[in-house]
Amino acid sequence: MDYENFFRDRISDLTRDGRYRVFANLERHAGRFPHATLRRDGHESEIVVWCSNDYLGMGQHPVVLEAMHRAIDECGAGAGGTRNISGTNHYHVQLEQELADLHGKPAALLFTAGYTANMTALSTLAARIPGCVVYSDSENHNSMIEGMRHSRSARVVFKHNDPADLERHLARTDPHLPKLVAFESVYSMDGDIAPIADLVDVAKKYNALTYIDEVHAVGMYGARGGGVSERDGQSARLDVIQGTLAKAIGVIGGYIAGSTALCDFVRSYGAGFIFSSSMPPAAAAGALASIRYLKQHPELRDQHQERAQALRNKLAAAGIPFLDAASHIVPVMVGDAKLCKLASDLLLDRGHYVQPINYPTVPVGTERLRFTPSPLHDDAMQSDLVESLVEVWDELGLRLQEAA
């Protein structure tokens, strides 16, 4: 087999279908988010970033940066090993305590990434609980799906955000088998929010463990930033709350929060935890400072929701088609992979960066531009963006909706 030709041919397939991904070479500027420098074809230009997961701009907040600088001076760069072998720094211990408190749980466990947290926790729980059946929302993230697959446990997929369909499946299962129900709070591509209380009601009725992914909600919902589960008063009823430190928290890493025994179980049996080097102390210190700040500053969450609604209002007035979701995520629908990539390129030429979202992240025919306005995207930025979108829609012959 000619391996190199095989690789090139498969990349050519992606390019032909409009699904080849090009990385934007960006330099973020501390203190000036969402502005960044774009380096392209030997040239530099200033752009506004519209698709960052640093939802609240905490990745550049002085409190976070100061904590990270201080930790580097105190502890150096790396952690020095896995958590089991010299890699547990005091900042890791403090951060786990802070995360447990954020979600009202007795314990929390850190991972190097949110993806690793989902992969490890779900695969360990489902594989190690004898006979466990996992019930998965049809729109769950790839990290959750891969964790379930890796466990080799029986998996049942229920209709998206549908407690009645979940109950139909649970009712058919042997009542003596252990069960785990896994779902997200905010689904990042459509921006819709799960009916958490109803899903938990059904799960508890059938004695199933509940596992929620709050990665797109931690820091942004709830009185202290504990996510949609905190906002809805459901945190205490959930067995596992999984989150990330790389989005609203603004740093890197992932975690689970739950009972002391459950977290210790995953710590003791989860290969993705045991064999991974721990996050740098500076990253843990930055995340710790960010969480403590967000707990005390709900006004950032209010500003964030206001900015998202302001963008939706401007899009509606201009006739740009978007999914009017209940969360902070604003998906602008294109419906064609090649046109979605072209729209992204044309917006970049006008100083606005938003990444095209194509298959396999979303189904074919639902390609989109996913906007995540932050509290720092002011009215002038939003108005300029919408004017640029109207120009791009006209240039590409895309259909506008009747203006609201």
Side-chain angles (χ1 to χ4, degrees):
M1 183 179 188
D2 188 332
Y3 296 105
E4 288 299 307
N5 273 337
F6 171 79
F7 300 145
R8 283 191 289 266
D9 287 346
R10 296 295 77 76
I11 294 300
S12 294
D13 292 343
L14 292 175
T15 304
R16 184 187 62 249
D17 295 341
R19 296 191 289 117
Y20 181 71
R21 302 184 184 202
V22 178
F23 295 153
N25 183 353
L26 303 176
E27 181 181 337
R28 283 160 48 105
H29 303 301
R32 296 193 62 233
F33 181 79
H35 293 282
T37 296
L38 170 70
R39 289 181 171 84
R40 181 173 58 165
D41 301 327
H43 300 286
E44 294 183 5
S45 60
E46 185 166 291
I47 59 161
V48 175
V49 178
W50 288 96
C51 54
S52 174
N53 286 334
D54 186 2
Y55 291 131
L56 300 175
M58 292 303 293
Q60 57 146 27
H61 197 284
V63 168
V64 176
L65 301 186
E66 181 185 352
M68 295 185 74
H69 282 297
R70 185 170 60 250
I72 288 175
D73 291 338
E74 292 172 351
C75 304
T82 66
R83 291 290 298 276
N84 290 310
I85 306 175
S86 82
T88 295
N89 186 278
H90 185 52
Y91 283 114
H92 299 132
V93 176
Q94 289 181 293
L95 179 54
E96 286 176 337
Q97 292 170 346
E98 200 72 35
L99 288 165
D101 175 77
L102 177 66
H103 295 293
K105 297 296 183 186
L109 186 67
L110 280 174
F111 294 83
T112 53
Y115 196 103
T116 310
N118 269 336
M119 269 280 296
T120 304
L122 282 168
S123 64
T124 303
L125 291 169
R128 293 279 180 173
I129 299 174
C132 185
V133 181
V134 183
Y135 299 81
S136 173
D137 187 287
S138 63
E139 298 299 314
N140 275 343
H141 190 263
N142 175 267
S143 59
M144 303 176 76
I145 295 168
E146 288 302 314
M148 298 170 203
R149 287 175 176 166
H150 191 69
S151 75
R152 299 184 181 179
S153 296
R155 179 165 60 102
V156 177
V157 178
F158 63 91
K159 294 177 183 177
H160 179 50
N161 281 348
D162 190 336
D165 191 54
L166 171 62
E167 179 155 23
R168 280 192 290 271
H169 289 295
L170 283 167
R172 297 188 189 118
T173 307
D174 183 341
H176 298 100
L177 287 176
K179 306 167 186 69
L180 187 155
V181 176
F183 55 95
E184 300 181 41
S185 60
V186 176
Y187 288 84
S188 63
M189 289 301 110
D190 287 350
D192 53 336
I193 294 178
I196 298 174
D198 294 338
L199 291 170
V200 173
D201 285 346
V202 172
K204 295 304 180 187
K205 179 178 177 180
Y206 293 89
N207 193 31
L209 286 171
T210 50
Y211 184 109
I212 190 170
D213 176 316
E214 285 263 37
V215 299
H216 291 278
V218 169
M220 295 178 295
Y221 297 87
R224 300 194 308 155
V228 178
S229 56
E230 183 197 13
R231 184 198 71 179
D232 293 356
Q234 298 298 310
S235 299
R237 303 180 68 209
L238 291 155
D239 295 297
V240 185
I241 298 175
Q242 182 268 349
T244 183
L245 306 171
K247 293 182 170 60
I249 308 305
V251 192
I252 191 68
Y255 65 90
I256 60 169
S259 72
T260 301
L262 186 148
C263 289
D264 199 17
F265 179 82
V266 175
R267 181 188 74 86
S268 300
Y269 287 98
F273 176 86
I274 294 169
F275 296 104
S276 290
S277 293
S278 53
M279 69 167 65
L288 178 64
S290 180
I291 293 165
R292 286 175 173 170
Y293 184 88
L294 289 173
K295 284 178 177 178
Q296 299 298 322
H297 290 274
E299 73 277 2
L300 268 180
R301 289 181 277 283
D302 296 336
Q303 293 166 13
H304 189 255
Q305 291 296 318
E306 185 277 327
R307 288 289 80 199
Q309 187 56 50
L311 180 58
R312 283 192 285 264
N313 292 343
K314 287 180 170 63
L315 292 171
I320 299 295
F322 66 96
L323 294 181
D324 193 6
S327 73
H328 57 281
I329 295 167
V330 186
V332 168
M333 307 306 291
V334 179
D336 178 276
K338 292 181 179 179
L339 290 175
C340 197
K341 176 66 169 61
L342 282 171
S344 173
D345 291 343
L346 290 172
L347 284 170
L348 195 57
D349 293 339
R350 290 166 169 81
H352 299 285
Y353 172 58
V354 59
Q355 185 70 10
I357 306 294
N358 296 329
Y359 179 84
T361 307
V362 296
V364 173
T366 68
E367 293 82 2
R368 67 200 63 184
L369 303 172
R370 176 183 172 272
F371 292 91
T372 55
S374 76
L376 301 170
H377 287 89
D378 60 28
D379 284 334
M381 291 178 193
Q382 292 196 0
S383 295
D384 189 59
L385 168 68
V386 174
E387 289 174 11
S388 296
L389 278 166
V390 171
E391 293 173 3
V392 168
W393 249 241
D394 180 63
E395 186 170 340
L396 296 179
L398 293 169
R399 184 177 180 180
L400 293 172
Q401 295 178 334
E402 185 175 343

